[in-house]
């Protein structure tokens, strides 16, 4: 089995999701933006696709034209009915593919903090966060809940922290995949954002040490449960209709 991963920056990889995926029999292939050609991806063929995070905005098409191609890949993936996961930027792009608005959040969330699960979230692969809600947040943008999807988690700042579209599509605004033992890479890679936001780097480092074991345990449970739930089903009709409507609107704008 093949897991195709779209990666925007090297240190934001699958993290603690990688080992459980390999244990489940997946061969992981990264597709690095700026190095690999997006057009080479066959969105409707790979067993699993994951779209990772990054420090750019999901709607910055003018500055980063590859986003248009990436969005089309995500749309084809949803149409195929095959499993798709988006994390942070990836979740925002999935939301956009369904026609939802992506925009600046009321406040920037950076650091380790809890999420609150909805009833649907407590029944989902995110159930491990019910009793241990701490996770890593690193974003300044948010999105409206895509039509026909289920909200799974929220915070006071960001109402839509996670959503699912049937069994096969999930978007996660936060970072359950974080390998807290490698937090230094994040602190280096995002140093400008951290400095401009007045974030206490020492506190993030300390929190990473404190929560590392629990985060890894939850990550394994989250990805394992999601894989057991996902299959080859087609997207529900309301989702497919929303996707087609979004594509038509973009065609008119183009």
């Amino acid at each position: 089995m093949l897991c195709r991963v779209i990666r925007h920056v090297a240190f934001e990889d699958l993290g603690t999701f990688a080992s459980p995926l390999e244990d489940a029999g997946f061969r992981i292939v990264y597709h690095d933006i700026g190095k690999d050609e997006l057009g080479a991806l066959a969105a409707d063929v790979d067993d699993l696709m994951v779209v990772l995070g990054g420090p750019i905005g999901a709607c910055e098409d003018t500055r980063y034209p590859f986003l248009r191609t990436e969005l089309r890949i995500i749309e084809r993936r949803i149409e195929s009915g095959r499993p798709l996961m988006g994390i942070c930027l990836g979740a925002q792009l999935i939301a956009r593919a369904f026609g939802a608005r992506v925009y600046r959040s009321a406040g920037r969330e950076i650091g380790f903090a809890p999420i609150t699960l909805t009833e649907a979230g407590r029944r989902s692969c995110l159930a491990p966060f019910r009793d241990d809600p701490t996770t890593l947040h690193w974003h300044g943008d948010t999105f409206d809940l895509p039509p026909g999807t289920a909200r799974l988690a929220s915070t006071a700042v960001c109402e839509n922290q996670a959503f699912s579209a049937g069994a096969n599509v999930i978007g996660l605004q936060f970072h359950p995949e974080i390998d807290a033992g490698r937090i230094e890479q994040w602190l280096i890679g995002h140093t400008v954002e951290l400095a401009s936001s007045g974030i206490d780097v020492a506190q993030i480092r300390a929190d990473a040490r404190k929560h590392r074991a629990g985060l890894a345990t939850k990550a394994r449970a989250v990805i394992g449960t999601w894989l057991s739930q996902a299959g080859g089903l087609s997207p529900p009709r309301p989702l497919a209709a929303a996707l087609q409507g979004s594509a038509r609107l973009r065609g008119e704008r183009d």
Side-chain angles (χ1 to χ4, degrees):
M1 293 187 294
L2 178 65
C3 174
R4 180 83 61 182
V5 184
I6 298 180
R7 179 168 57 183
H8 301 92
V9 289
F11 61 87
E12 291 199 35
D13 55 21
L14 283 173
T16 49
F17 279 177
S19 179
L21 283 168
E22 291 171 339
D23 291 345
F26 284 94
R27 179 171 65 91
I28 297 170
V29 175
Y30 283 101
H31 191 100
D32 288 303
I33 298 297
K35 175 177 174 288
D36 302 313
E37 287 295 326
L38 277 174
L41 275 103
D44 57 349
V45 172
D46 301 326
D47 300 285
L48 174 63
M49 180 174 287
V50 181
V51 184
L52 295 170
I56 66 174
C59 297
E60 293 188 273
D61 299 13
T62 301
R63 297 182 69 183
Y64 303 101
F66 71 83
L67 285 170
R68 300 190 189 102
T69 304
E70 190 169 354
L71 194 62
R72 287 194 292 271
I73 290 170
I74 291 171
E75 289 172 347
R76 290 199 301 271
R77 183 68 184 182
I78 296 170
E79 289 174 334
S80 76
R82 290 177 174 269
L84 169 67
M85 173 180 285
I87 300 175
C88 199
L89 173 60
Q92 294 166 9
L93 288 168
I94 292 175
R96 187 181 170 196
F98 278 119
R101 186 172 62 108
V102 182
Y103 51 94
R104 180 64 62 182
S105 177
R108 187 173 292 178
E109 289 184 298
I110 298 177
F112 294 92
I115 55 171
T116 300
L117 298 182
T118 64
E119 183 59 37
R122 288 191 288 273
R123 296 192 305 267
S124 76
C125 64
L126 300 182
F129 287 94
R130 178 182 54 196
D131 299 322
D132 182 8
T134 299
T135 188
L136 178 67
H137 301 269
W138 210 299
H139 68 99
D141 290 346
T142 188
F143 48 84
D144 291 335
L145 186 68
T149 67
R151 181 182 297 114
L152 303 180
S154 300
T155 62
V157 174
C158 181
E159 183 178 29
N160 297 314
Q161 282 285 349
F163 67 92
S164 62
N168 282 6
V169 179
I170 190 167
L172 306 167
Q173 177 65 79
F174 59 98
H175 288 275
E177 86 291 359
I178 182 66
D179 180 351
R182 293 169 46 208
I183 195 64
E184 212 65 33
Q185 292 180 301
W186 289 63
L187 299 180
I188 294 168
H190 291 301
T191 182
V192 174
E193 182 180 29
L194 289 167
S196 64
S197 303
I199 302 294
D200 186 346
V201 172
Q203 185 63 57
I204 294 180
R205 191 178 287 122
D207 287 343
R209 289 194 296 268
K210 176 181 178 182
H211 297 292
R212 179 179 179 180
L215 291 167
T217 299
K218 286 182 290 189
R220 180 172 287 275
V222 166
I223 193 67
T225 301
W226 186 68
L227 289 174
S228 71
Q229 295 172 343
L233 302 176
S234 298
R237 186 169 308 200
L239 302 178
L243 181 62
Q244 291 166 4
S246 172
R248 285 195 299 270
L249 286 174
R250 270 195 307 282
E252 292 170 4
R253 288 196 297 268
D254 294 343

